[in-house]
Amino acid sequence: MQNFYYNIPTKIYFGKGQIEQLGKNLKAITDHVLLAYGGGSIKKNGLYDKVIEQLKNAGIQWEELSGIEPNPRIESVRKGVEICKKHGIGAVLAVGGGSTIDCAKIIASGTCYDGDPWDQVIDNSKITKALPVVSVLTLAATGSEMDGFAVISDLTKNEKWGTGNDITKPVFSILDPEYTFTVSARQTAAGTADIMSHTFENYFTTEKGAYLQARFCESILKTCIHYAPIAIQTPDNYEARANLMWASSMAINGICSYGENTAWAVHPMEHELSAFYDITHGVGLAILTPFWMEYVLNEDTVWRFVEYGKNVWGILEGSDMEIAKEAIAKTKAFFASIGLPSSLHEIGIDETHFDVMAQKAADGGLKYGFIPLNKEDVKKIFQMAL
Ligand code: NZQ
Ligand code: ZN
């Protein structure tokens, strides 16, 4: 296990009715917030009213930024920064899924920056100061509620990049699984694929001595495999929603990656799909993951696939290679079983942009991964996924 610095400062209020914590804890930070949210799901399910009640009761003034897109755009960030600067806002309150929280993070850092916030998207060292970010999570997927990352797009240039650092970690997040009862079956499946992908990105590491972290990863994967079908079948099953929600936070908050050298592989490839085709992040991950696994499986990497097959899927019979291949087949079948597509053509993606997408993904650091990948490797994986 390698040296690491543990830093997970986000306070979590988890469970039914925890929205009651919002007003008083936010008031301790500021009395004027930017309330940021998406396309209106929080108005439909009543959460918006509860948030407003909390703000009013605590005597907190607010401005609003609504309409934050899935795959949040830099244009929304700029709007938010403008509002914050104009009104001297003291904190950004994100109510929604990962897109809203990510947008809020760069609004928070952009407000404390003199240039265009896009500079901070392409260079996270430019994030040196940020307003406090608080979140009320409504979708189990990205883990943005408990990490520092933010993924922002400029679709006019087909660019989508991850940024953020310790400064953009939320101060506190409210995780009430009941707010995810209204998440559609499709988004529940996509969110699960995202949680599993974060876990895979940490699990498929060359570090063999992080035994504990690997077992954490396997528990998260088993939790997703067990509870996603239940949540899809019975959207108001509290136990299923609660386990998925906590899995979302734990997959990416550092617990699974401390002590390892993790360089993510499938995420940079998926971000290119989203940048060019504006697809749902988890859908792209579900398509690419099994093909990436097939591509990187070899005599040197099989050890990890065997652990995966045995500990997550209970495959105990066969040679190492047979166990590994069956584990990959089960991964693919699982994603299909929860209604996710298995190929790029199903979501209308063809080879048109593979060249430039592969180059950009490779430039994003793929040479440091579990198996180093270059542009040609990425292109082959895209082609396998067609
Ligand atoms: O916009 P509204 O109306 O709220 O609807 C959203 C949106 O249409 C809806 N939704 C959210 N909560 C709901 C709900 N609908 C009904 N009931 C609820 N309770 O779901 C749709 C998708 O929302 P979004 O926030 O886009 O989904 P997600 O949480 O999956 O976020 C995806 C974004 O996060 C990035 C992705 O790339 C993508 O841009 N990521 C962020 C990461 C991070 N910050 O650490 C890491 C991830 O790997 C990921 O890249
Ligand atoms: Zn992700």
Side-chain angles (χ1 to χ4, degrees):
M1 196 186 299
Q2 300 172 11
N3 292 2
F4 61 86
Y5 162 62
Y6 174 102
N7 180 21
I8 311 179
T10 304
K11 291 182 189 144
I12 299 291
Y13 295 97
F14 191 100
K16 293 177 191 177
Q18 292 285 25
I19 195 74
E20 295 298 330
Q21 298 292 337
L22 181 62
K24 58 183 175 218
N25 285 291
L26 197 51
K27 182 74 176 174
I29 300 173
T30 183
D31 51 18
H32 199 177
V33 296
L34 175 69
L35 167 59
Y37 55 98
S41 69
I42 66 162
K43 288 203 167 162
K44 280 188 211 133
N45 65 15
L47 176 55
Y48 175 85
D49 294 337
K50 290 184 184 157
V51 169
I52 296 299
E53 191 187 328
Q54 283 290 312
L55 297 180
K56 281 185 178 162
N57 290 347
I60 299 169
Q61 232 189 307
W62 75 94
E63 311 300 326
E64 291 194 20
L65 175 70
S66 62
I68 295 170
E69 314 81 1
N71 298 329
R73 316 288 199 259
I74 188 65
E75 291 83 355
S76 292
V77 174
R78 291 185 185 121
K79 268 191 226 163
V81 168
E82 200 185 318
I83 299 171
C84 288
K85 285 186 174 173
K86 183 174 164 201
H87 294 277
I89 294 291
V92 186
L93 168 62
V95 184
S99 294
T100 295
I101 304 172
D102 286 6
C103 189
K105 287 174 180 174
I106 307 305
I107 291 172
S109 63
T111 301
C112 305
Y113 178 71
D114 282 338
D116 181 25
W118 185 251
D119 301 347
Q120 299 183 312
V121 175
I122 52 177
D123 178 1
N124 76 341
S125 72
K126 294 211 158 81
I127 301 176
T128 54
K129 208 174 160 211
L131 298 178
V133 174
V134 167
S135 86
V136 181
L137 182 67
T138 65
L139 202 171
T142 64
S144 190
E145 67 277 7
M146 208 177 178
D147 74 22
F149 304 120
V151 187
I152 305 294
S153 298
D154 183 344
L155 293 188
T156 64
K157 298 190 208 141
N158 296 119
E159 304 268 354
K160 175 173 182 173
W161 299 111
T163 184
N165 54 37
D166 281 353
I167 295 168
T168 42
K169 289 178 177 174
V171 177
F172 70 92
S173 288
I174 292 177
L175 275 58
D176 183 340
E178 290 184 322
Y179 299 149
T180 64
F181 287 176
T182 53
V183 176
S184 68
R186 186 176 166 283
Q187 285 293 345
T188 302
T192 301
D194 195 19
I195 300 168
M196 290 177 72
S197 179
H198 299 155
T199 312
F200 288 137
E201 302 275 24
N202 292 324
Y203 186 65
F204 287 95
T205 167
T206 50
E207 173 58 56
K208 291 190 178 177
Y211 179 94
L212 179 62
Q213 290 86 327
R215 306 292 84 77
F216 284 152
C217 287
E218 288 159 2
S219 318
I220 293 171
L221 294 168
K222 288 170 84 162
T223 299
C224 291
I225 292 163
H226 179 67
Y227 282 111
I230 298 172
I232 288 168
Q233 198 74 41
T234 328
D236 60 353
N237 183 304
Y238 184 86
E239 183 179 316
R241 294 295 192 181
N243 278 279
L244 288 174
M245 196 171 226
W246 195 221
S248 154
S249 306
M250 297 308 282
I252 197 174
N253 67 0
I255 287 287
C256 293
S257 57
Y258 286 135
E260 300 175 352
N261 45 328
T262 53
W264 290 20
V266 181
H267 270 69
M269 292 192 270
E270 193 296 311
H271 284 172
E272 293 309 316
L273 301 182
S274 295
F276 279 80
Y277 296 94
D278 197 16
I279 63 165
T280 299
H281 174 59
V283 169
L285 295 170
I287 294 170
L288 293 178
T289 295
F291 295 105
W292 171 81
M293 287 178 166
E294 278 174 22
Y295 194 81
V296 302
L297 172 62
N298 61 36
E299 291 299 335
D300 293 332
T301 60
V302 70
W303 64 276
R304 179 55 99 196
F305 285 95
V306 171
E307 290 187 5
Y308 173 51
K310 286 186 174 167
N311 297 340
V312 175
W313 292 108
I315 309 165
L316 304 176
E317 306 279 315
S319 68
D320 281 1
M321 254 322 152
E322 283 164 353
I323 291 173
K325 286 182 180 165
E326 195 179 334
I328 296 172
K330 281 191 179 291
T331 308
K332 197 171 187 175
F334 172 72
F335 287 142
S337 77
I338 56 172
L340 292 166
S342 311
S343 64
L344 295 176
H345 80 258
E346 286 171 64
I347 54 168
I349 297 182
D350 62 18
E351 290 191 73
T352 310
H353 300 294
F354 278 6
D355 216 49
V356 55
M357 282 166 29
Q359 183 66 59
K360 286 169 79 179
D363 291 345
L366 288 178
K367 60 173 175 278
Y368 306 108
F370 180 56
I371 284 285
L373 300 175
N374 62 28
K375 177 190 168 184
E376 289 313 312
D377 296 314
V378 178
K379 247 178 110 172
K380 282 184 199 147
I381 294 169
F382 284 154
Q383 274 154 355
M384 286 162 73
L386 269 175

